[in-house]
Amino acid sequence: MDHLIPFDLWHNNDVWNLLPASKAANGKKSNKLPSADLLKARKDCVVGYWELLRENNAARFDKEAETLLPVPTPHWQNELYGQMCNAIEVTALQRGVGRWPNT
């Protein structure tokens, strides 16, 4: 597992921020944020993983997703994904953090 937004930057262990990752990918990423291109390329995987998590524990997922998306909606996937992307961009700008490219 790896933090999409590194723990060192956000101190957040919410399930939406934890994604499966190989040890090699986790090591390459380190404390960098994913690039916009990588996020676009992996959107379906991220959202699919979130759907599985929510299917298995909706109460926990919804409570933790409120960090980014206060009101559950029928189209929560796209809205949460958009808010996550915004949080990554703001964090990158505020902290001057490097990006992890899609390579």
Side-chain angles (χ1 to χ4, degrees):
M1 297 302 274
D2 188 23
H3 290 85
L4 189 63
I5 301 174
F7 186 81
D8 285 348
L9 300 175
W10 256 45
H11 299 281
N12 180 307
N13 282 322
D14 291 348
V15 293
W16 63 265
N17 193 37
L18 297 169
L19 298 174
S22 69
K23 195 174 233 183
N26 192 357
K28 287 180 187 175
K29 178 180 170 270
S30 185
N31 281 333
K32 296 176 187 165
L33 292 163
S35 69
D37 288 341
L38 180 58
L39 288 170
K40 286 177 193 170
R42 303 301 290 169
K43 178 182 179 184
D44 291 342
C45 290
V46 171
V47 170
Y49 184 67
W50 286 346
E51 289 171 341
L52 288 173
L53 289 171
R54 190 169 190 267
E55 189 176 299
N56 288 304
N57 194 341
R60 178 180 177 187
F61 187 89
D62 290 350
K63 182 175 181 354
E64 293 181 1
E66 287 178 358
T67 305
L68 296 176
L69 188 64
V71 180
T73 66
H75 306 289
W76 66 268
Q77 297 93 330
N78 286 329
E79 293 180 30
L80 181 59
Y81 186 82
Q83 291 298 332
M84 179 205 62
C85 289
N86 287 339
I88 288 170
E89 294 306 315
V90 168
T91 302
L93 290 171
Q94 288 178 339
R95 304 279 184 103
V97 177
R99 304 304 285 267
W100 188 46
N102 188 12
T103 57

